Amino acid sequence: MALQLDTPSEGNQIHRVEPGCVWINGQAWRQSVLVPWQGEVRAWSVEGFEALQALHFEALLDPRPELVLFGSGERLRFPHPSLWRPLMQVGVGLDTMDLAAACRTFAVLSGERRRVMAALLVE
C-alpha cells in the first residue's frame, strides 16, 4: 500500500504545547490566543479563566466558525453558559477541554478542513 503524506497547504497549525506556551505556525505564543482554521492568528485579550466575560466569546465569531474549541488552560474548567451565549445564539458549537486536548483536537479538525476556532487560555 502506498502512503502519501497529506500536508495542508493553507491553514493554521498548532505544533506543540509547553507549560505557558503554545507553538502556532512556528511562533511561540505565551499569552491567550485565538487560532482560526485559516487566516490571522491573534492575541485573545483575556487575563485568565476567572476574568472571562461574554465579550471574550463574542470575539470568536469572526471569522464565522462552525465549532469553537475552548482550551481552558492546563486543567479542564467549564465556563458558565451565560458567557458563551453569543455563540449559542448564532448556532456556533462550543467544546471545552484542557489546553493540550484542544490543540490536538484542532489539529485533527483543521486537517479535515473544518471551520474550527481554537480559543486557548495560556496561563
Side-chain angles (χ1 to χ4, degrees):
M1 173 190 330
L3 298 176
Q4 180 177 352
L5 179 62
D6 184 19
T7 308
S9 59
E10 62 181 67
N12 294 310
Q13 296 180 33
I14 300 174
H15 301 285
R16 71 178 189 253
V17 178
E18 301 170 352
C21 182
V22 177
W23 287 83
I24 305 162
N25 300 331
Q27 178 183 351
W29 288 80
R30 291 179 170 79
Q31 66 192 67
S32 296
V33 61
L34 299 176
V35 187
W37 70 99
Q38 62 183 14
E40 180 186 5
V41 175
R42 62 190 195 271
W44 192 24
S45 61
V46 60
E47 296 299 317
F49 185 82
E50 302 304 325
L52 282 170
Q53 299 176 17
L55 65 95
H56 293 117
F57 287 90
E58 288 175 18
L60 308 178
L61 295 174
D62 181 36
R64 183 73 175 261
E66 62 187 58
L67 175 65
V68 170
L69 301 172
F70 174 58
S72 63
E74 291 194 22
R75 64 184 178 92
L76 179 61
R77 298 172 286 184
F78 294 93
H80 191 275
S82 66
L83 297 178
W84 48 279
R85 185 176 316 273
L87 300 175
M88 288 188 290
Q89 290 175 331
V90 296
V92 174
L94 178 82
D95 199 353
T96 300
M97 51 194 74
D98 66 46
L99 181 63
C103 291
R104 289 189 304 268
T105 304
F106 178 87
V108 171
L109 295 178
S110 64
E112 295 174 350
R113 297 179 178 46
R114 301 273 307 272
R115 292 182 4 241
V116 62
M117 166 81 77
L120 306 174
L121 282 181
V122 179
E123 302 174 300

